[in-house]
Structure formats: structure tokens, C-alpha cells
Amino acid sequence: MTKDQFTVQILDMEKTLYRVACGILRSEADREDAVQECILKAWEKRSALKNDGAFRSWVTRILINECYDICRRGQKLVVMDELPEQAAPPELENRELRDAVDQLEDIYRLPILLFYVEGFNIREVAQILQIPEGTVKSRLYAGRGKLRESLGEEVPE
Amino acid sequence: MKRSWEDLYGEVPASFETRMRDTLASLPAAEPVDIRRFRFRPSALIAAVLMVMLLTGAAFATDLFGLKSLIVTDPYAQISPTASPAASDLIALQGFPESPEFKANSEWMDALAAARKAPDPVWTAEYPYSLYSVSSPALQARLDEITARYGLKLHSTVRDFDSEEELYALLGCEDSFFSNCAAISGYVYEDGSFHGDGTSVAGICYEYQFGRYGKGSFSEVTLHVGNPNDYEEWLYTTKEGVTVQLSLGPDRCVLMADLPSSFVAVNLLGGTRGDGLYMPDPVTRQGLETFAELFNFSALG
């Protein structure tokens, strides 16, 4: 993979990388650090990627690892309900949904983000999170149940 | 207000985009790849095989029940009209290859793969078929046929649990299944089969997915293991005298125990590489054996 090809594919993933980082880290600075490390590591290890079709899920997994590294290094374990409020971007219309997702525990939030927001299929989510497909399904089911508790019946499909 | 998943976190900030572009711009250009083809040398291969045999005395004994023997068709594998299908890395978790539970799941995966070619997007399965990946009347009939032939029952009820105590209360069980279990949550079926995401502590934190599959019931749970050749596998007898199969892999480890009334399969979320999402430190052979001691198999049986 050439540098140009790599750059194009990473830029195509910009929104995915941002949203996944948002799902784990609350500080913009941390998110930027995580994506920088992710890009550097993905470039360095690109020869390990056997199937170019899996680039998106592979990079996402690297990013998640980097986010958790940042959490560990800073002892900033994500406990969403203890974190200070963060101003919603002005263009954000569904603040309630975001708050409800942010309140979910990691084990539910990440599968929900990857499946519903990023459009990864069950198998890809399982590979990214290194958990069985059955566990992905059960976490999606349980996660939606928790969102329904917070939002009533208005959980988007 | 209509909620939607789009724009959940708003627009990407300019600073984030700038950081990405700066990082990409700083990457060195790709260096030419040095391709070195592996040359087959029979003497080297024989020596390597002998070395593996010496180092893992139980290699032949476990080969019959290694992860490779548990691979089933991956019904969700990407279908490409041009490329040959990739080898499946999906294993069934309900029993060793000769068991009716394994055979039934294997046939069910074949059926699901075949059904992908003619999906029925409108039809919805009713209870208890909705507990499985039944997506058409034909698949429902196929599931009935497979389970009848192997004498297996479908699960009928499922309930969530959020702690060890809740699990035991749901099962009406007085024995403890786990040692040093810090947390476990999951769901349990009417026959005592259950899945749980657990954390146990014994020197280090072990993060795992635990599955207990009741014999005589049908379960479709499977697990991607990557390349089964990357695993070191052996039999280990726990201090309580139960023999379990251990598979030590680069990214995950698998523990399996064939018990009198159930089959236990545990997916440890860390491996020898030590860069796992949940377990950042490498798992060693001894560490995996320590992990096996964290379960009370006689109670689980």
C-alpha cells in the first residue's frame, strides 16, 4: 500500500475515527492524540494487514487500543456518569441520544457505536472488539434495552 | 424530535482533521518491499516437527480435539464472485466433533450460509425461534429437522443476570462456579446453559466470555479464532482432577471442558501477543493453567 493509498483510506474514515474516539475519550486533545498514534501505528504495521478489504475494521481496532492506552496512561478510566458535562456542538440535534449512549457502560457503548453508527456488521464488530458474535448480539440487545430505559421507545433503528 | 444515529457526536472538529492531515503528511514514503520467498527444506521441516513433538508431548493426543477440528462454515463470510472463499475460522462451542451438539451446530451453520443466497427480509421468527438466527419459514423447518435428528431441544426462555449471586438464584444452585470472580453478567437459559462476560483476578485480571452449554439443548453460538495453526494446545488436569483442553493463541485463548451434563467453553480475551483490548499483558502457558483453576468444573458439570 502506497502512502497516497493509505492517506486516502484514512481520510475516508475521518468521521468513523472521530466518533469511535468520542465513544471512549471525552477530551478533544486525547482524541487527537489517539488518532495520531493510530495513524502512525497503522502505517508502521500495514504489512500485517493481509486483506485490504478489512482496512476499516483493522484501523478501528488499532484506534480503540490507542484510546484505551490513553485511558490507562492517564488513569482516566471512563466512568461516564462521573464526568463533567460537555457542551453539545451547536449543530447537534439529538443530544438526548448522545447522552444516553455516553451513559452506557463500555461493553454496550462500543458495540452500539460500531454497529448502528458506523455500520459494521456483527462479524466485523466481533473482530474489532475480539469477542464472539453471540456476545456482540447479546450486548447490542442489552444495550438497546438500556437505551430504551433512558429514552422511552424512541431508540432509532 | 426524531432521533437518529447520524451526527451522534456532531461534525468533526477542524483541529481533529488538521491533526490527522498533519500526521499523514509526516509519514515517510513507502519503502520497497523486500520479498523473500520461503524455500522448502525437508530436513528443516522434519526437525521442526520433531521439536514440536518433544516440546508438546500431548500434541497428538489433543490434535483430535484441537480448535481445527471444531471449525464450522462461516455463514457470514464475505461472498465475492471472483475470489475463492477464505477459510473459515469459526468454531462451534457446544462439544467436541463427535457430539450431537457440535454436529447440529455445524449443520445449522451450513443451513444459514445457504440461506444467505435467498434471504427473506420481511418474515420475522416467533418465539422460541426468535432466540436463534431463524429468518425464514424454510430455516425454521430446517432447524426443527436438525434438532429432531440429533435429539436436541430448543431453548425456550432466557433471563439476564448481573452478578454471580443472581446467576445462582436463577439456577437454584448452591455451589459456586467461579473462584476470585470480580464481576460477571450475561444471560441464562431454562436448562442451565448460560453465557457471561466475566472478570476474575488471580495475580492478573482475566477478562473472559464464559459459556456453559447444557447437553441435550441446541445452541448456535460460535467464535472466530483466527488461524487455528497459531495456537499451542494441550490437555491440563486441574487440581480438582478435571481434564480441560487449553488453546493458547496470539490474541485470545480458549478453554474447553467436556463435563457429564454440560460443555464449557471459555474465551479468554488476551493472548501471547499481549496487545489485546481487554488484557494488555501477554498470556503465558502457566498463566492459562492458572486461569483454568478459577472454575469449579465439578459444580458446572
Side-chain angles (χ1 to χ4, degrees), chain B residues 6 11 25 28 44 72 109 121 124 132 143 157-159 170 172-174 198 200 205 243 245 276 298:
Chain B
E6 290 181 23
E11 290 298 312
V72 294
M109 290 300 122
T124 305
Y132 298 90
L143 181 59
T157 57
V158 59
R159 299 175 73 179
L170 288 169
C173 170
E174 293 183 354
S200 293
C205 246
T243 299
Q245 175 180 291
S298 54

Side-chain angles (χ1 to χ4, degrees), chain B residues 11 15 32 34 51 68 91 97 99 103 127 131 138 141 181 199 207 209 211 217 221 239 243-244 247 262 272 290 293:
Chain B
E11 290 298 312
S15 61
D34 180 15
M51 185 61 75
K68 207 184 299 182
I91 62 167
S99 66
K103 289 177 180 172
Y127 206 70
L131 294 174
C181 181
T199 304
E207 302 282 352
Q209 270 106 41
S217 293
V221 176
K239 287 172 186 163
T243 299
V244 299
S247 306
S262 69
T272 53
T290 301
E293 297 291 351

Side-chain angles (χ1 to χ4, degrees), chain A residues 3 14 18 32-33 36 43 64 68 92-94 96-98 102 123 130 132-133 138-139 154 156, chain B residues 1 3-5 7-9 11 13 15 17 19 24-25 27-28 74 187 197 209 224 251 269 277:
Chain A
K3 182 180 170 182
E14 182 185 64
Y18 179 66
E32 290 169 19
D33 288 347
Q36 175 177 314
W43 174 252
I64 290 173
Y68 278 103
L92 191 67
E93 291 181 359
N94 50 352
E96 284 180 328
L97 177 61
R98 194 196 73 178
D102 282 351
R123 184 187 189 197
Q130 297 180 288
E133 288 180 17
S138 67
R139 289 183 183 180
E154 290 183 47
Chain B
M1 180 184 69
R3 297 187 178 108
S4 88
W5 292 112
D7 297 328
L8 187 70
Y9 289 105
E11 290 298 312
S15 61
E17 186 177 342
R19 187 74 167 271
L24 287 164
L27 297 176
D74 182 351
Y187 51 97
D197 297 316
Q209 270 106 41
H224 286 287
D251 299 312
L269 301 174
L277 184 60

